[in-house]
Amino acid sequence: MVHQSETFDKSRVRAHNTFPGWKVEEPPRKLSDATLKKEGFSLSDPVLVFEHDGKRFMFRIKDITYYHTAQGVANGLPFVLGFCGLCHSGMVFHPFVDGEKRHFVPGGLYDGILFLKDLETDSYWNHITGECMYGKDAGKTLKPMDLEYSNLGTELTSSNSYVFTKTNDLPKAPLFWRILEFVLRLFGMGFDQLHGPGFWLAVRKNHTRSENADDRLPYYTPGLGVVTKSVKDPDNPYAQTAKFYSLSAMRKAKNQTIYDKVGEHDVIVRIRESSFPEAVWKNPKGKEEDRPFQNYMRWYGFYATFPECEVFEG
């Protein structure tokens, strides 16, 4: 796989310091019917979820789309989460570099994809792979955590679910969110989906590397990108296989489930009850990770990050 620290072109950086970032200071609230009612949340609200010590911590996509990053502590676990409202990709990392804690904010867009910037060195970090693309730590990588896409209705069934909320900086009027979501849906991107051309029609022209567009799929195709390591050479960061599964292909599959091979690994790619896709190991016994590295996102963001990726043709 190609490392962006070797191909980074600073002239393609856009939207410097446009997004505010979220410094998480308040503890999360236990998810319950009472919390939903008090906050005016909907069961259909999509969320990003990660686990620690048997507890599930989540951010609503409606909130994180406004901030693009969130950094804080979840039950003693320091974390930094990045979410790109354009390509719709999200990932969460341990915010340490060589044992030193870093503080991250949204840096801007690179090829139409959010990148993180750490305040200590002003280095640029890919928010999908965790690789430092530019700066003092170029080539180093943040350690990722598993991140799931779900919704509040699904997570309400768990007794150990907690949601981070922040309303003091967000527009408080529910009318604002209704208008915003209506506008997004006009462009084909509600908070709970990835269909259509995306946030802004100008994204492709102005903020992405359109001259190198990969036309194997339509530019904004939603789907699940899966990346696996080589069994024979697990310590080699270049020895990876990346594969993209379009949402339409998953929906056409029997029981909305695909049995496939990514590199040397057998995987199952499916649409969950929450309506979001996921990939799991077909034979999980002995696997260090519970699930392969994956991201629910648009095609342009996946091939820009993994230019040698494969596409499921089934």
Side-chain angles (χ1 to χ4, degrees):
M1 302 301 293
V2 176
H3 281 214
Q4 286 191 316
S5 59
E6 300 176 357
T7 60
F8 184 81
D9 179 0
K10 197 173 181 180
S11 68
R12 298 211 300 266
V13 172
R14 299 288 186 274
H16 285 278
N17 305 315
T18 303
F19 314 116
W22 178 353
K23 184 179 179 181
V24 180
E25 297 176 330
E26 298 180 7
R29 303 183 185 184
K30 187 172 179 60
L31 188 62
S32 64
D33 289 320
T35 301
L36 293 176
K37 184 176 180 180
K38 181 179 179 180
E39 298 295 333
F41 293 166
S42 170
L43 293 176
S44 63
D45 283 350
V47 290
L48 301 171
V49 187
F50 63 95
E51 290 192 14
H52 176 58
D53 281 349
K55 296 181 179 180
R56 293 174 65 80
F57 298 96
M58 65 201 68
F59 289 86
R60 292 195 314 157
I61 289 181
K62 283 185 178 181
D63 294 338
I64 201 65
T65 297
Y66 177 77
Y67 292 101
H68 286 75
T69 64
Q71 183 163 357
V73 178
N75 197 34
L77 174 72
F79 69 88
V80 58
L81 183 148
F83 178 78
C84 179
L86 298 180
C87 73
H88 211 272
S89 57
M91 188 52 66
V92 62
F93 299 97
H94 299 272
F96 295 93
V97 180
D98 296 332
E100 174 189 345
K101 186 175 182 179
R102 297 289 175 85
H103 298 84
F104 294 88
V105 295
L109 299 174
Y110 184 74
D111 289 345
I113 305 169
L114 172 75
F115 68 85
L116 309 179
K117 181 178 74 171
D118 76 76
L119 297 178
E120 285 75 13
T121 69
D122 284 334
S123 296
Y124 297 168
W125 302 78
N126 184 298
H127 92 285
I128 298 173
T129 64
E131 180 187 4
C132 182
M133 306 183 295
Y134 174 82
K136 173 179 175 291
D137 294 308
K140 294 182 179 179
T141 304
L142 299 172
K143 183 180 179 181
M145 301 182 231
D146 189 40
L147 187 70
E148 300 177 36
Y149 284 71
S150 185
N151 59 50
L152 289 177
T154 300
E155 297 305 316
L156 192 60
T157 62
S158 170
S159 61
N160 291 310
S161 293
Y162 297 81
V163 58
F164 286 97
T165 61
K166 183 180 177 71
T167 57
N168 55 323
D169 290 336
L170 287 168
K172 296 180 175 60
L175 179 61
F176 171 88
W177 288 118
R178 292 200 296 271
I179 293 174
L180 177 59
E181 188 154 14
F182 173 75
V183 172
L184 292 180
R185 287 185 182 280
L186 283 179
F187 289 105
M189 184 181 173
F191 286 117
D192 58 343
Q193 60 186 10
L194 293 181
H195 309 304
F199 243 130
W200 299 296
L201 296 179
V203 168
R204 177 171 183 173
K205 179 178 179 181
N206 296 325
H207 291 311
T208 63
R209 191 175 45 187
S210 56
E211 65 270 19
N212 293 331
D214 188 320
D215 60 3
R216 285 179 291 172
L217 291 172
Y219 202 70
Y220 297 99
T221 299
L224 189 72
V226 181
V227 182
T228 64
K229 300 177 183 177
S230 169
V231 174
K232 299 177 181 177
D233 196 6
D235 296 325
N236 182 355
Y238 289 88
Q240 298 178 333
T241 301
K243 196 166 190 176
F244 190 82
Y245 298 82
S246 69
L247 197 58
S248 61
M250 285 181 266
R251 287 174 171 163
K252 292 176 183 177
K254 184 177 181 181
N255 298 321
Q256 299 188 107
T257 301
I258 296 170
Y259 297 87
D260 198 25
K261 184 179 288 288
V262 181
E264 304 158 38
H265 301 269
D266 293 314
V267 299
I268 302 173
V269 180
R270 61 196 180 193
I271 296 178
R272 302 166 57 206
E273 293 181 2
S274 63
S275 299
F276 288 100
E278 73 165 352
V280 296
W281 303 115
K282 183 178 180 181
N283 303 302
K285 186 177 181 181
K287 298 290 184 185
E288 181 181 347
E289 308 92 351
D290 293 331
R291 309 190 310 167
F293 181 96
Q294 57 196 270
N295 219 303
Y296 178 44
M297 60 190 299
R298 297 182 187 276
W299 165 238
Y300 88 82
F302 191 71
Y303 79 68
T305 306
F306 303 99
E308 299 175 2
C309 64
E310 303 172 4
V311 175
F312 176 73
E313 302 289 353

